[in-house]
Amino acid sequence: MMEEKQRLLFKEELMGFEVDGAPYLAASRCKKCGKVFFPAREFCTQCYAEEIEPVKLTDAQLHVHTVVHIGVKGFDTPYILAWVTFPEGVRIVAQVDFPAGQADELRPGQSLKVVCGRLRTLEDGTEIMGYKFKPVF
């Protein structure tokens, strides 16, 4: 009998899942000035208002990317790392779930969607899961 690998979600507060299982990033928006933050914040660091509402980030665009050939222990290399921009004004660095050998097929402005995937594997075999982005062609 094969033993099932243990999977843990990296920083659970960063992601959520819709009823249909579709993942999103858990962000926040200031009700006063409209600034959107990821990770979510309890108050606005732009205008210092405390009126904050939750926002779900799902669709993004590729800003720029690179292929990582020598990575940190536990990360399978090569992998694609990118600046990802959301229409709400948030920009983050994240892995792209796409074959590194085909990275030249990705272009700035490429549509991306949030997915949940394996980020790295611990020495005991535990898989650390988290947000990544998948290109939409």
Side-chain angles (χ1 to χ4, degrees):
M1 187 164 122
M2 250 179 127
E3 189 174 315
E4 195 171 313
K5 291 183 182 180
Q6 182 178 4
R7 290 183 168 174
L8 299 174
L9 189 59
F10 176 75
K11 297 198 176 190
E12 293 181 20
E13 68 275 9
L14 297 179
M15 288 185 76
F17 296 89
E18 299 289 0
V19 176
D20 66 1
Y24 61 85
L25 299 187
S28 61
R29 176 185 293 119
C30 176
K31 289 184 177 182
K32 183 176 178 186
C33 73
K35 178 78 175 167
V36 177
F37 297 97
F38 177 78
R41 301 202 178 157
E42 293 183 14
F43 71 95
C44 179
T45 56
Q46 183 165 306
C47 73
Y48 303 104
E50 295 181 5
E51 298 80 30
I52 299 293
E53 62 185 349
V55 174
K56 297 175 181 179
L57 303 177
T58 57
D59 298 319
Q61 286 189 330
L62 178 69
H63 183 69
V64 66
H65 70 284
T66 191
V67 177
V68 177
H69 294 278
I70 301 172
V72 178
K73 186 176 184 178
F75 286 77
D76 292 336
T77 54
Y79 62 88
I80 300 171
L81 196 61
W83 274 105
V84 175
T85 306
F86 290 90
E88 294 84 355
V90 173
R91 183 179 288 169
I92 63 173
V93 175
Q95 288 185 29
V96 177
D97 189 6
F98 194 70
Q102 298 173 10
D104 59 344
E105 294 178 24
L106 300 174
R107 298 282 181 257
Q110 172 91 46
S111 294
L112 303 169
K113 67 177 182 174
V114 175
V115 296
C116 184
R118 183 173 50 83
L119 299 176
R120 63 189 178 107
T121 305
L122 301 180
E123 288 182 14
D124 68 1
T126 301
E127 293 182 336
I128 304 301
M129 309 298 286
Y131 62 85
K132 290 181 162 188
F133 291 85
K134 193 168 204 73
V136 177
F137 289 98

